[in-house]
Amino acid sequence: TAPLEHLCGGQMLLRKVKENWDSEDCSILKEIVNSESEGPEEVQLEDIIKATEMGDKLCIRLAGEAGRILGYGLVNAAMTLNPQIMILGGMMPDMGEVFLKPVRETVKQLLKPEVLQRLEIRESALGSKASLKGAYLLVFRGNFSETLGAEKDE
């Protein structure tokens, strides 16, 4: 079995775009990456997000597929852990409703009503930069907490 990230995250989108590069449905994405000089190997997740926002059929279809798969994963996690809230982070929620709607629909369809009524699913307030901001805070606290603490003791 593959990790959820492999099945519905950015790596899945990049892999599937490469597999479907010759499709007519990814014409907008090809324009974004300038397909005359670049191939699918040069595609970045940011390009796929932009193409989705611009209406690229392949990217929209893949975003929906990723959303449904994540929805299945969230249902499994909710049934196992019974959380009150699940936070969606990373770049995938940046795709907007074409990704988020299938997530919510799958969860609503498959989750037991008594679990669903207690569960809130939302996007991270920090957005796609959450990991970077968290790393920054860890470094800042690690480098300066001792110095700041020493000043308090004096």
Side-chain angles (χ1 to χ4, degrees):
T1 60
L4 196 57
E5 164 66 20
H6 183 75
L7 298 173
C8 66
Q11 295 304 312
M12 170 270 214
L13 289 176
L14 292 168
R15 186 179 67 254
K16 295 244 179 173
V17 160
K18 289 175 185 176
E19 291 171 4
N20 292 280
W21 188 250
D22 293 327
S23 168
E24 293 176 11
D25 289 344
C26 66
S27 58
I28 295 172
L29 179 61
K30 287 178 182 178
E31 287 179 26
I32 290 171
V33 296
N34 190 10
S35 66
E36 297 299 323
S37 60
E38 307 292 337
E41 294 78 25
E42 301 302 318
V43 175
Q44 301 292 316
L45 187 55
E46 293 86 352
D47 299 327
I48 296 172
I49 293 170
K50 185 176 181 180
T52 301
E53 292 168 352
M54 295 174 66
D56 187 274
K57 291 177 184 177
L58 175 64
C59 293
I60 289 171
R61 182 173 53 81
L62 294 176
E65 180 181 330
R68 281 185 294 284
I69 294 169
L70 180 60
Y72 283 109
L74 293 181
V75 166
N76 285 322
M79 292 302 292
T80 303
L81 304 171
N82 197 20
Q84 293 179 341
I85 188 167
M86 293 180 152
I87 307 292
L88 304 180
M91 294 182 78
M92 296 299 285
D94 291 347
M95 299 179 103
E97 284 303 303
V98 296
F99 173 75
L100 296 169
K101 185 177 178 184
V103 171
R104 287 191 296 267
E105 288 175 348
T106 302
V107 169
K108 186 177 179 180
Q109 178 185 12
L110 298 175
L111 202 57
K112 292 180 178 182
E114 60 271 13
V115 177
L116 184 61
Q117 71 184 15
R118 293 187 308 264
L119 178 63
E120 181 181 354
I121 298 174
R122 69 165 72 156
E123 298 172 61
S124 168
L126 298 175
S128 60
K129 304 282 189 233
S131 298
L132 181 61
K133 291 175 184 176
Y136 170 78
L137 285 174
L138 284 174
V139 169
F140 181 79
R141 286 183 182 161
N143 287 333
F144 298 109
S145 62
E146 291 177 21
T147 303
L148 295 173
E151 291 176 7
K152 288 181 181 179
D153 292 337
E154 292 176 358

